[in-house]
Amino acid sequence: MADTVVDARNLQCPMPVVKTAMAMNDIKSGQTLELIATDRGALSDIPAWASDTGNSLKEQFEENDEFHFIIEKA
Amino acid sequence: MTVPELEQVADQPEPAKEKMVLIAASGDLDKAWPVLILATTGAAYGMDVTIFFTFWGLSILKKPGTGITGDDWRQKMMSAFHKGTPDGLHLSKLHFGGLGPTMMKSLAEDKNVASVQELLELSIQLGVKLWPCQMTMDLMGLTNDDLIDGLDKPAGAGSAISLMKDASIQLFI
Protein backbone atom coordinates (compact mmCIF):
# COMPACT_ATOMS: atom_id res chain seq x y z
CA MET A 1 0.00 0.00 0.00
CA ALA A 2 1.16 3.47 -0.82
CA ASP A 3 1.56 5.96 2.03
CA THR A 4 -0.93 8.32 0.42
CA VAL A 5 -3.47 8.13 -2.40
CA VAL A 6 -4.33 10.93 -4.83
CA ASP A 7 -7.68 10.52 -6.52
CA ALA A 8 -7.59 12.51 -9.76
CA ARG A 9 -10.26 10.46 -11.52
CA ASN A 10 -12.33 12.45 -14.01
CA LEU A 11 -9.96 15.41 -13.73
CA GLN A 12 -8.31 16.73 -16.84
CA CYS A 13 -4.90 18.18 -17.56
CA PRO A 14 -3.16 19.76 -15.65
CA MET A 15 -4.85 18.50 -12.47
CA PRO A 16 -3.32 14.98 -12.19
CA VAL A 17 0.22 16.44 -12.25
CA VAL A 18 -0.66 19.44 -10.06
CA LYS A 19 -2.49 17.34 -7.44
CA THR A 20 0.35 14.80 -7.37
CA ALA A 21 2.94 17.55 -6.89
CA MET A 22 0.90 19.11 -4.08
CA ALA A 23 0.45 15.78 -2.29
CA MET A 24 4.20 15.09 -2.60
CA ASN A 25 4.84 18.04 -0.29
CA ASP A 26 3.00 16.21 2.48
CA ILE A 27 5.04 12.99 2.40
CA LYS A 28 8.62 12.26 3.36
CA SER A 29 11.51 11.13 1.20
CA GLY A 30 11.25 7.38 0.54
CA GLN A 31 7.48 7.30 1.08
CA THR A 32 5.17 6.41 -1.79
CA LEU A 33 2.16 7.99 -3.38
CA GLU A 34 -0.46 6.30 -5.52
CA LEU A 35 -2.15 8.41 -8.16
CA ILE A 36 -5.38 7.20 -9.74
CA ALA A 37 -6.33 9.07 -12.92
CA THR A 38 -8.56 8.70 -15.94
CA ASP A 39 -6.95 11.43 -18.06
CA ARG A 40 -5.19 9.63 -20.92
CA GLY A 41 -2.64 12.47 -21.04
CA ALA A 42 -1.41 11.36 -17.61
CA LEU A 43 0.10 8.27 -19.29
CA SER A 44 2.85 10.47 -20.73
CA ASP A 45 2.67 13.41 -18.29
CA ILE A 46 3.22 11.53 -15.04
CA PRO A 47 6.33 9.55 -16.13
CA ALA A 48 7.78 12.80 -17.56
CA TRP A 49 7.01 14.74 -14.38
CA ALA A 50 8.43 12.00 -12.12
CA SER A 51 11.67 11.73 -14.06
CA ASP A 52 12.12 15.52 -14.35
CA THR A 53 11.54 16.11 -10.65
CA GLY A 54 13.82 13.25 -9.57
CA ASN A 55 11.04 11.14 -8.05
CA SER A 56 10.80 7.54 -9.15
CA LEU A 57 7.86 5.91 -10.83
CA LYS A 58 7.86 2.45 -9.25
CA GLU A 59 4.83 0.95 -10.90
CA GLN A 60 2.20 1.81 -13.46
CA PHE A 61 -0.86 -0.22 -14.40
CA GLU A 62 -4.32 0.10 -15.87
CA GLU A 63 -7.40 -1.30 -14.19
CA ASN A 64 -11.02 -0.73 -15.28
CA ASP A 65 -10.06 2.21 -17.50
CA GLU A 66 -8.26 3.83 -14.58
CA PHE A 67 -4.55 4.50 -14.58
CA HIS A 68 -2.56 3.84 -11.42
CA PHE A 69 0.90 5.24 -10.78
CA ILE A 70 3.02 4.43 -7.73
CA ILE A 71 5.64 7.12 -7.19
CA GLU A 72 8.38 7.16 -4.57
CA LYS A 73 9.46 10.55 -3.29
CA ALA A 74 13.14 11.36 -3.82
CA MET B 1 32.63 15.78 10.19
CA THR B 2 33.66 18.47 12.65
CA VAL B 3 31.13 20.96 13.98
CA PRO B 4 32.30 23.83 11.72
CA GLU B 5 32.03 21.51 8.71
CA LEU B 6 28.50 20.50 9.68
CA GLU B 7 27.54 24.14 10.07
CA GLN B 8 28.94 24.83 6.64
CA VAL B 9 26.77 22.08 5.13
CA ALA B 10 23.69 23.41 6.92
CA ASP B 11 24.41 26.93 5.69
CA GLN B 12 24.50 25.96 2.05
CA PRO B 13 21.53 27.50 0.30
CA GLU B 14 19.08 25.24 -1.51
CA PRO B 15 19.80 25.00 -5.24
CA ALA B 16 18.12 27.87 -7.09
CA LYS B 17 14.84 26.89 -8.69
CA GLU B 18 14.55 26.89 -12.45
CA LYS B 19 12.56 29.84 -13.70
CA MET B 20 9.61 30.01 -16.05
CA VAL B 21 8.21 33.28 -17.36
CA LEU B 22 4.96 33.58 -19.27
CA ILE B 23 3.80 36.77 -20.96
CA ALA B 24 0.00 36.84 -21.02
CA ALA B 25 -0.81 39.45 -23.66
CA SER B 26 -4.25 38.22 -24.64
CA GLY B 27 -7.58 38.43 -22.86
CA ASP B 28 -9.03 35.61 -24.96
CA LEU B 29 -10.41 32.63 -23.08
CA ASP B 30 -8.53 30.23 -25.37
CA LYS B 31 -5.23 31.94 -24.48
CA ALA B 32 -5.90 32.47 -20.76
CA TRP B 33 -6.49 28.76 -20.34
CA PRO B 34 -3.11 27.54 -21.67
CA VAL B 35 -1.29 30.34 -19.79
CA LEU B 36 -2.72 29.14 -16.48
CA ILE B 37 -2.41 25.43 -17.30
CA LEU B 38 1.30 25.88 -18.08
CA ALA B 39 1.84 28.09 -15.02
CA THR B 40 0.28 25.59 -12.58
CA THR B 41 2.15 22.72 -14.23
CA GLY B 42 5.43 24.67 -14.04
CA ALA B 43 4.78 25.17 -10.32
CA ALA B 44 4.08 21.42 -10.02
CA TYR B 45 7.52 20.88 -11.58
CA GLY B 46 8.96 22.88 -8.69
CA MET B 47 9.77 25.84 -10.93
CA ASP B 48 9.70 29.48 -9.91
CA VAL B 49 6.89 30.71 -12.18
CA THR B 50 6.01 34.33 -13.02
CA ILE B 51 3.25 35.50 -15.34
CA PHE B 52 3.53 39.04 -16.69
CA PHE B 53 0.08 40.30 -17.72
CA THR B 54 0.07 43.00 -20.36
CA PHE B 55 -2.48 44.65 -22.68
CA TRP B 56 -5.69 42.61 -22.88
CA GLY B 57 -4.02 39.96 -20.70
CA LEU B 58 -4.85 42.24 -17.77
CA SER B 59 -8.51 41.22 -18.27
CA ILE B 60 -7.64 37.91 -16.61
CA LEU B 61 -6.76 39.78 -13.40
CA LYS B 62 -9.76 42.11 -13.29
CA LYS B 63 -12.05 41.67 -10.31
CA PRO B 64 -15.33 40.02 -11.31
CA GLY B 65 -17.97 42.71 -11.60
CA THR B 66 -15.50 45.45 -12.53
CA GLY B 67 -17.48 47.94 -14.56
CA ILE B 68 -16.29 50.91 -16.52
CA THR B 69 -12.76 51.96 -15.55
CA GLY B 70 -10.53 55.00 -16.09
CA ASP B 71 -11.05 58.77 -16.06
CA ASP B 72 -10.59 59.54 -19.73
CA TRP B 73 -13.59 59.07 -22.08
CA ARG B 74 -11.48 56.80 -24.32
CA GLN B 75 -10.53 54.56 -21.39
CA LYS B 76 -14.18 54.45 -20.34
CA MET B 77 -15.29 53.51 -23.85
CA MET B 78 -12.67 50.77 -24.13
CA SER B 79 -13.67 49.25 -20.80
CA ALA B 80 -17.36 49.50 -21.73
CA PHE B 81 -16.78 47.61 -25.01
CA HIS B 82 -14.36 45.12 -23.51
CA LYS B 83 -15.20 44.48 -19.88
CA GLY B 84 -12.73 41.63 -19.51
CA THR B 85 -12.81 39.97 -16.05
CA PRO B 86 -11.96 36.24 -15.86
CA ASP B 87 -15.62 35.22 -16.10
CA GLY B 88 -16.24 37.37 -19.17
CA LEU B 89 -13.34 36.52 -21.49
CA HIS B 90 -13.99 36.28 -25.22
CA LEU B 91 -13.07 33.47 -27.59
CA SER B 92 -10.62 34.39 -30.37
CA LYS B 93 -12.69 32.30 -32.79
CA LEU B 94 -16.41 31.45 -32.79
CA HIS B 95 -17.21 34.10 -30.21
CA PHE B 96 -20.72 34.70 -31.65
CA GLY B 97 -21.55 37.53 -29.26
CA GLY B 98 -20.79 35.43 -26.18
CA LEU B 99 -22.50 32.21 -27.24
CA GLY B 100 -19.14 30.57 -28.06
CA PRO B 101 -17.58 31.10 -24.58
CA THR B 102 -20.80 29.94 -22.89
CA MET B 103 -20.75 26.71 -24.91
CA MET B 104 -17.02 26.24 -24.36
CA LYS B 105 -17.37 26.75 -20.60
CA SER B 106 -20.29 24.34 -20.26
CA LEU B 107 -18.36 21.76 -22.30
CA ALA B 108 -15.33 22.27 -20.03
CA GLU B 109 -17.52 21.74 -17.00
CA ASP B 110 -18.94 18.50 -18.44
CA LYS B 111 -15.43 17.28 -19.24
CA ASN B 112 -14.08 18.34 -15.81
CA VAL B 113 -11.62 20.85 -17.20
CA ALA B 114 -10.73 23.34 -14.45
CA SER B 115 -12.06 26.84 -15.16
CA VAL B 116 -9.88 29.91 -15.67
CA GLN B 117 -10.98 31.20 -12.24
CA GLU B 118 -10.13 27.88 -10.56
CA LEU B 119 -6.72 27.77 -12.26
CA LEU B 120 -6.07 31.38 -11.26
CA GLU B 121 -6.81 30.59 -7.60
CA LEU B 122 -4.67 27.45 -7.84
CA SER B 123 -1.80 29.49 -9.33
CA ILE B 124 -1.88 31.86 -6.35
CA GLN B 125 -2.03 28.88 -3.97
CA LEU B 126 1.01 27.31 -5.69
CA GLY B 127 3.02 30.51 -5.36
CA VAL B 128 2.95 31.56 -9.02
CA LYS B 129 3.84 35.26 -9.16
CA LEU B 130 1.30 37.38 -11.03
CA TRP B 131 2.67 40.66 -12.33
CA PRO B 132 0.36 43.25 -13.83
CA CYS B 133 2.01 45.59 -16.37
CA GLN B 134 2.09 49.11 -14.94
CA MET B 135 2.10 50.82 -18.34
CA THR B 136 -1.03 48.98 -19.54
CA MET B 137 -2.77 49.73 -16.24
CA ASP B 138 -2.06 53.45 -16.79
CA LEU B 139 -3.06 53.25 -20.44
CA MET B 140 -6.36 51.57 -19.66
CA GLY B 141 -7.03 53.50 -16.46
CA LEU B 142 -6.90 50.44 -14.21
CA THR B 143 -5.95 50.79 -10.54
CA ASN B 144 -4.88 48.11 -8.04
CA ASP B 145 -8.46 48.21 -6.73
CA ASP B 146 -9.77 47.03 -10.10
CA LEU B 147 -7.59 43.90 -9.91
CA ILE B 148 -7.94 40.74 -7.82
CA ASP B 149 -6.05 40.24 -4.54
CA GLY B 150 -2.89 38.14 -4.34
CA LEU B 151 -0.98 39.91 -7.11
CA ASP B 152 2.59 41.11 -7.03
CA LYS B 153 3.47 44.77 -7.48
CA PRO B 154 2.89 46.13 -10.99
CA ALA B 155 6.07 45.97 -13.05
CA GLY B 156 7.46 46.96 -16.43
CA ALA B 157 9.35 45.51 -19.39
CA GLY B 158 12.69 45.89 -17.57
CA SER B 159 11.59 43.55 -14.79
CA ALA B 160 10.21 41.10 -17.34
CA ILE B 161 13.46 41.05 -19.35
CA SER B 162 15.56 40.76 -16.21
CA LEU B 163 13.58 37.67 -15.23
CA MET B 164 13.40 36.15 -18.73
CA LYS B 165 17.16 36.52 -19.21
CA ASP B 166 17.75 33.86 -16.57
CA ALA B 167 14.67 31.73 -17.15
CA SER B 168 14.80 28.33 -18.82
CA ILE B 169 11.28 28.75 -20.24
CA GLN B 170 9.93 32.03 -21.62
CA LEU B 171 6.69 32.10 -23.57
CA PHE B 172 4.65 34.89 -25.10
CA ILE B 173 1.03 33.73 -25.30
Side-chain angles (χ1 to χ4, degrees):
Chain A
M1 267 305 276
D3 294 293
T4 189
V5 176
V6 173
D7 184 356
R9 283 175 294 185
N10 297 322
L11 297 178
Q12 295 276 12
C13 171
M15 299 316 291
V17 169
V18 172
K19 283 195 140 216
T20 301
M22 288 168 89
M24 273 293 186
N25 292 331
D26 300 330
I27 62 171
K28 294 191 193 86
S29 172
Q31 288 190 311
T32 53
L33 172 150
E34 178 171 8
L35 165 70
I36 313 170
T38 47
D39 169 27
R40 216 153 255 288
L43 289 174
S44 59
D45 288 3
I46 294 297
W49 175 84
S51 109
D52 290 342
T53 51
N55 297 297
S56 62
L57 180 58
K58 290 286 176 198
E59 206 185 326
Q60 180 181 341
F61 59 93
E62 186 177 340
E63 201 176 74
N64 308 322
D65 289 331
E66 293 174 353
F67 311 116
H68 296 248
F69 304 87
I70 315 281
I71 306 160
E72 186 184 289
K73 183 166 175 164
Chain B
M1 264 193 276
T2 62
V3 172
E5 272 172 345
L6 279 171
E7 278 173 353
Q8 209 180 351
V9 171
D11 282 348
Q12 272 174 3
E14 281 189 29
K17 285 182 174 181
E18 271 193 283
K19 286 182 188 153
M20 171 174 179
V21 183
L22 304 174
I23 311 288
S26 168
D28 290 335
L29 180 61
D30 43 312
K31 298 270 174 58
W33 238 318
V35 164
L36 294 167
I37 288 170
L38 290 172
T40 47
T41 306
Y45 261 76
M47 297 181 86
D48 182 353
V49 184
T50 306
I51 316 177
F52 185 70
F53 294 84
T54 187
F55 282 83
W56 298 120
L58 275 180
S59 305
I60 304 166
L61 300 182
K62 273 199 203 173
K63 266 185 197 154
T66 302
I68 293 173
T69 54
D71 303 317
D72 185 288
W73 65 272
R74 291 161 296 187
Q75 292 172 334
K76 287 181 180 167
M77 268 184 79
M78 275 203 294
S79 62
F81 284 120
H82 183 84
K83 278 221 171 93
T85 76
D87 54 343
L89 303 178
H90 290 193
L91 271 183
S92 64
K93 285 189 173 66
L94 308 176
H95 184 65
F96 296 135
L99 186 66
T102 305
M103 278 169 58
M104 180 71 96
K105 281 188 258 186
S106 77
L107 253 177
E109 213 178 302
D110 289 352
K111 302 276 178 197
N112 288 304
V113 176
S115 71
V116 163
Q117 291 100 308
E118 284 167 339
L119 289 167
L120 194 56
E121 279 165 29
L122 193 58
S123 298
I124 295 173
Q125 200 186 327
L126 291 169
V128 171
K129 293 191 251 336
L130 308 172
W131 287 7
C133 164
Q134 181 68 64
M135 181 275 280
T136 321
M137 285 175 67
D138 294 345
L139 183 72
M140 296 188 172
L142 291 168
T143 65
N144 286 330
D145 291 339
D146 298 319
L147 305 178
I148 58 165
D149 297 330
L151 305 182
D152 282 78
K153 276 198 193 124
S159 312
I161 294 289
S162 161
L163 207 60
M164 282 195 278
K165 205 162 61 66
D166 299 323
S168 34
I169 299 177
Q170 317 97 345
L171 294 170
F172 182 96
I173 301 178

